[in-house]
Amino acid sequence: MQHHIRPAGAPPTNGYSHAVSVTGTLMLVSGQVPLDASGRLVGSDDAGEQTRQVFRNIAAVLADGGATMADVVKLTVFLTNMSDLSAFRAARDEFIDPERPPASSLVQVSGLVHPGFRVEIEAIAVLPA
């Protein structure tokens, strides 16, 4: 795995790599939402806590496949409100190594499957050899 955080001529980043080169078996993680293991919404009015729960869910799914957050090469983030961006970034940085951040896309959406969800995140990881 090679992280291309800021190639020459590319703009600055904030917690992501412009690209990640990999070889190996991919694990594609469906969009995770801020529900706990019992299906209860976590952090109803707290984008940071919702983001933490989403990353806990991603970590659990990865573990089931034999991977960790360090194996994530791409994130796609959906936020319902761009004012939640700083809370998202702070929570993300608790789970992602800033020296080896995944490639990422972030999209503002008008809504998610449940009106209480403020964030949903998909992930792609490369399984360890």
Side-chain angles (χ1 to χ4, degrees):
M1 184 182 310
Q2 181 180 2
H3 290 75
H4 307 273
I5 296 174
R6 188 173 181 199
T13 62
N14 188 339
Y16 66 93
S17 295
H18 278 283
V20 180
S21 305
V22 301
T23 56
T25 302
L26 295 180
M27 182 176 184
L28 307 174
V29 179
S30 293
Q32 297 296 302
V33 295
L35 297 176
D36 65 15
S38 297
R40 291 183 297 255
L41 176 63
V42 173
S44 61
D45 289 325
D46 185 337
E49 191 51 38
Q50 284 200 12
T51 300
R52 285 181 196 89
Q53 183 60 46
V54 168
F55 276 110
R56 287 190 288 268
N57 293 346
I58 292 170
V61 172
L62 292 170
D64 189 64
T68 69
M69 291 302 294
D71 300 311
V72 172
V73 296
K74 174 74 166 76
L75 294 173
T76 303
V77 179
F78 304 94
L79 292 180
T80 59
N81 190 327
M82 289 306 289
S83 67
D84 292 340
L85 183 57
S86 62
F88 159 77
R89 285 179 172 159
R92 173 204 61 200
D93 292 350
E94 296 172 19
F95 295 86
I96 298 296
D97 179 355
E99 299 298 314
R100 297 172 31 100
S104 296
S105 297
L106 187 143
V107 180
Q108 182 179 5
V109 295
S110 61
L112 295 165
V113 70
H114 182 286
F117 296 168
R118 297 169 74 126
V119 60
E120 181 171 337
I121 304 172
E122 300 173 346
I124 300 174
V126 175
L127 297 179

